[in-house]
Amino acid sequence: LYTFLSNDGKPCYFASNNAQALISSGGNGYLVQGLNTGAIDISVAGGFFFGASMVAYLDDFFIALTPRSRQFQISGINDGTSWNPLDVAINGGSADDLVGLITDHEYLYLFGNRRASVWYNNGAADFPFTPVSGAFMEQGCVAPASIARIDNSVAWLGQDENGANVLWKAHGFIPARISNHAIEAAWSQYSTTADAIAMVVQRNGHTEYRITFPSGDATWVYDVSTGMWHERATFDLPRGVQHAQNQRYHCYSNGVHYVLGLDGIIYKEADGIYDDAGVPIRRIRVAPVLADENKRVLFHRLQIDLQPGIGLDGAPPVGVDPQLMLRYSNDSARTWSSEMMVSAGKIGDTEHRVIFNRLGSGRRRVFEVSTSDPANWVLIAAYLEITQGAH
């Protein structure tokens, strides 16, 4: 059985009490009550449900944001079919409409365009949710789908009356900035950031907040463990260009990471998979500008410290002798040299070294290394031998 959901081009949201699943799509609410049943459109069930732009579940209640309003509505206890028109609350601390919500640590976070507040269940009989005293944040949300639980907290792409496009993470009930100036400068070039979509993946001790900007055709990843950012992409092999990562949504179930792509395909993400559903993964690492008071520097030798002998075993030509590519720029990454290629070592060649010699000279040198062979690439460090010039 299937049901056609209202579609406004924005993400759907799900909430579950293990017996029922509430879905918001296109401003409407749909309830699924079993594996072999379709979704019931509760937006037309007697007029008691006021619609939903986003949904959540907390303390036995389904919670729905009423579209284009400051209001949210709660269901009957553990019953997504029961909605009382009086079981609503207004986010009175702010005049802006509510655009997003999320539950975390038994709290309900409500996000407006410019401000956010935190509510909790106080057990009152008439309406159980009330604001937490003092938990009012002067940072709203520009992209509702960017709101996500991460590292025992909540993160979101922010906006207030002064500007937008800073990524925040709640420390207690105080927003703390986790993006940086370079990342924010890149985001500010996109035509809009309101369509940003985030997902959180935890693997091998690294918790990653992955935020994709469809209008900017880019995906950025924040690693909580290192505090560092990198860009993730899907490689368009025929055109030789990078696009935003195809996979936008994540689910972890029975020890497996599943990701849903824009093509409607559910993929498995795991160690030991060295391509992107058959498409090469182009890995790029760019060093900062190397300069010495604008004096010429002679670059004799660059050694890349990596895990060697990573070639694949077997007949396929791709990956048997994986290659590391190097190019450099002498004008701060505006123009580039031709690429040079060096083997990273066939399987078993664990003493192999990756060295590039006679690399010319420059005053504002930038090195870039890249790979596309399917292998377990582990880049550790780089060592450079130079001679400083006098002029």
Side-chain angles (χ1 to χ4, degrees):
L1 296 176
Y2 60 88
T3 302
F4 290 104
L5 306 184
S6 176
N7 182 8
D8 59 0
K10 299 177 181 179
C12 298
Y13 298 93
F14 297 80
S16 173
N17 64 1
N18 293 327
Q20 300 171 321
L22 180 63
I23 306 169
S24 65
S25 180
N28 294 334
Y30 302 87
L31 192 71
V32 178
Q33 301 192 75
L35 295 177
N36 299 315
T37 63
I40 303 170
D41 186 352
I42 58 175
S43 299
V44 296
F48 298 138
F49 182 74
F50 299 130
S53 58
M54 191 177 289
V55 294
Y57 180 81
L58 179 64
D59 289 346
D60 297 332
F61 295 96
F62 286 107
I63 305 168
L65 288 188
T66 303
R68 298 173 297 279
S69 77
R70 299 158 57 201
Q71 171 180 290
F72 69 94
Q73 184 178 14
I74 64 172
S75 71
I77 295 177
N78 268 324
D79 187 359
T81 67
S82 174
W83 297 86
N84 188 323
L86 300 180
D87 281 340
V88 297
I90 301 293
N91 186 34
S94 177
D96 49 341
D97 287 348
L98 292 174
V99 297
L101 83 167
I102 195 169
T103 60
D104 182 67
H105 285 80
E106 296 296 308
Y107 290 110
L108 173 65
Y109 288 74
L110 298 173
F111 291 88
N113 286 306
R114 301 179 185 277
R115 294 173 178 85
S117 60
V118 185
W119 295 52
Y120 76 106
N121 185 343
N122 68 354
D126 51 351
F127 191 86
F129 290 97
T130 191
V132 176
S133 178
F136 193 81
M137 297 181 285
E138 295 291 342
Q139 279 294 336
C141 181
V142 67
S146 71
I147 304 169
R149 282 185 292 270
I150 177 174
D151 192 34
N152 285 307
S153 187
V154 173
W156 70 97
L157 188 63
Q159 175 178 265
D160 62 15
E161 66 268 24
N162 300 313
N165 301 331
V166 173
L167 193 73
W168 300 94
K169 178 183 173 185
H171 282 192
F173 300 132
I174 300 175
R177 174 171 169 260
I178 58 175
S179 53
N180 58 49
H181 295 305
I183 300 292
E184 293 153 7
W187 295 348
S188 69
Q189 302 304 308
Y190 305 152
S191 60
T192 181
T193 57
D195 58 356
I197 302 169
M199 65 179 183
V200 177
V201 182
Q202 188 274 320
R203 286 175 53 200
N204 301 329
H206 290 268
T207 300
E208 296 180 340
Y209 176 92
R210 305 180 188 176
I211 183 167
T212 294
F213 298 87
S215 296
D217 196 21
T219 300
W220 295 86
V221 181
Y222 175 71
D223 188 331
V224 174
S225 304
T226 64
M228 299 178 67
W229 284 88
H230 68 272
E231 199 168 359
R232 195 73 59 89
T234 293
F235 188 44
D236 185 344
L237 186 59
R239 296 176 178 83
V241 296
Q242 306 269 36
H243 294 290
Q245 189 176 37
N246 174 49
Q247 295 79 22
R248 305 290 168 88
Y249 305 96
H250 169 262
C251 172
Y252 181 71
S253 177
N254 295 321
V256 179
H257 292 276
Y258 296 100
V259 286
L260 175 65
L262 286 178
D263 49 14
I265 298 175
I266 298 176
Y267 299 89
K268 182 176 76 171
E269 186 176 281
D271 297 336
I273 300 176
Y274 303 132
D275 57 36
D276 188 358
V279 178
I281 298 174
R282 184 167 172 79
R283 305 163 179 87
I284 303 172
R285 186 69 183 267
V286 182
V289 176
L290 302 177
D292 180 23
E293 298 179 347
N294 213 28
K295 297 177 183 177
R296 185 170 295 278
V297 178
L298 282 70
F299 299 92
H300 306 296
R301 174 187 176 106
L302 174 64
Q303 179 172 333
I304 307 297
D305 188 5
L306 51 71
Q307 177 176 293
I310 57 175
L312 302 182
D313 187 15
V318 178
V320 171
D321 187 16
Q323 302 290 306
L324 187 71
M325 294 166 280
L326 172 74
R327 65 175 185 167
Y328 59 82
S329 170
N330 283 329
D331 54 7
S332 303
R334 290 177 173 82
T335 60
W336 294 91
S337 69
S338 300
E339 282 187 336
M340 297 165 275
M341 300 176 63
V342 171
S343 171
K346 296 182 178 181
I347 188 170
D349 189 2
T350 57
E351 297 296 322
H352 189 86
R353 294 196 298 168
V354 176
I355 298 174
F356 298 91
N357 292 307
R358 297 185 294 276
L359 298 173
S361 64
R363 291 186 172 87
R364 289 174 292 143
R365 174 64 62 91
V366 176
F367 288 104
E368 176 195 278
V369 294
S370 62
T371 74
S372 59
D373 283 314
N376 184 27
W377 291 95
V378 181
L379 303 183
I380 302 170
Y383 312 110
L384 187 62
E385 294 181 12
I386 65 170
T387 298
Q388 294 175 300
H391 303 287

